[in-house]
Amino acid sequence: MKIVVVSAGLSSPSSTRLLADRLAAATLEHVDAATEVIELRELATEIAQHFVTGFPPARLASALDAVAAADGLIAVTPVFAGSYSGLFKSFFDLIDKDSLTGKPVLLGATGGTARHSLVTEHALRPLFTYLRALVLPTAVYAASEDWGEEGLAQRIARAGAELARFTTPAAAPGPGAAPDVDTAAAIAPRSLTGAITSVDPADGFMTVPFEQRLAALRVP
């Protein structure tokens, strides 16, 4: 299993890279996986060349392939003019349109003020939804004043646990074994919030139609 981290920080050291590293560390607390970090500032020239020539240089091609092959993705950008950076957007403009389909993606952003805290929702989330990625419920924004605060650490921990959960396949019961209720809950289809969306009757569990549940509540 492999987690790829994309950081669009422009400085070194960078708060964007720091957030990316902490999100990766939080994920690895729950899942055994290899990680690869892609620093977009090191690929800025290659990204521009690709737009002009239509062909990615070797380092950029390797980065694009790594994102496509990843089991999970962590994508973190600094805020520029109230949105993601141009470098960040340019990189994901070069991703094949099908590369992120169904792939769990953890979003992060950094900025100088808490006033940009919704950038993950109004800019980043729509971008990755368009790319048909499985965008995780918890996105992490870190303003300058957030570093060292307990609230940021809690959000990072929650987001890492979510990415680990969605990159780890649920264990199915052995052949011929009837799953118990807890096992059925573990393997049932789930929404991003963790709610069970349906249970297959073929597994021995009947889904009660909503109308039947409603009728049972009616007063005689």
Side-chain angles (χ1 to χ4, degrees):
M1 184 177 296
K2 187 172 185 179
I3 305 294
V4 171
V5 182
V6 177
S7 171
L10 297 179
S11 59
S12 182
S14 161
S15 61
T16 301
R17 174 62 187 273
L18 177 59
L19 177 58
D21 287 344
R22 291 195 176 181
L23 290 170
T27 303
L28 294 179
E29 288 183 3
H30 302 278
V31 65
D32 183 15
T35 59
E36 178 178 346
V37 179
I38 298 172
E39 284 274 14
L40 295 188
R41 65 185 180 86
E42 298 176 356
L43 298 172
T45 301
E46 285 93 334
I47 290 172
Q49 289 175 347
H50 190 356
F51 276 109
V52 174
T53 65
F55 298 96
R59 285 201 310 169
L60 177 58
S62 177
L64 295 173
D65 289 344
V67 170
D71 296 291
L73 180 67
I74 298 172
V76 187
T77 179
V79 173
F80 278 76
S83 186
Y84 38 65
S85 71
L87 180 60
F88 183 87
K89 178 61 163 58
S90 294
F91 177 76
F92 284 101
D93 280 345
L94 299 178
I95 294 286
D96 182 87
K97 63 181 180 65
D98 297 320
S99 291
L100 298 185
T101 300
K103 193 184 301 295
V105 178
L106 169 53
L107 303 177
T110 59
T113 171
R115 289 178 293 178
H116 294 305
S117 60
L118 289 178
V119 68
T120 57
E121 306 307 314
H122 71 67
L124 287 169
R125 195 175 295 275
L127 170 63
F128 286 91
T129 298
Y130 173 79
L131 294 171
R132 300 192 298 277
L134 181 63
V135 186
L136 300 183
T138 300
V140 181
Y141 175 80
S144 297
E145 63 265 29
D146 289 331
W147 294 103
E149 295 295 325
E150 183 178 353
L152 176 60
Q154 291 175 344
R155 295 196 302 275
I156 290 173
R158 183 169 64 246
E162 287 176 0
L163 180 57
R165 175 176 170 232
F166 280 95
T167 53
T168 305
D180 57 21
V181 174
D182 290 338
T183 303
I187 64 174
R190 292 176 177 268
S191 69
L192 279 177
T193 61
I196 297 176
T197 56
S198 64
V199 179
D200 190 346
D203 292 329
F205 296 89
M206 295 301 296
T207 302
V208 180
F210 175 74
E211 294 81 2
Q212 185 176 335
R213 291 177 179 269
L214 189 62
L217 298 176
R218 292 174 183 165
V219 179

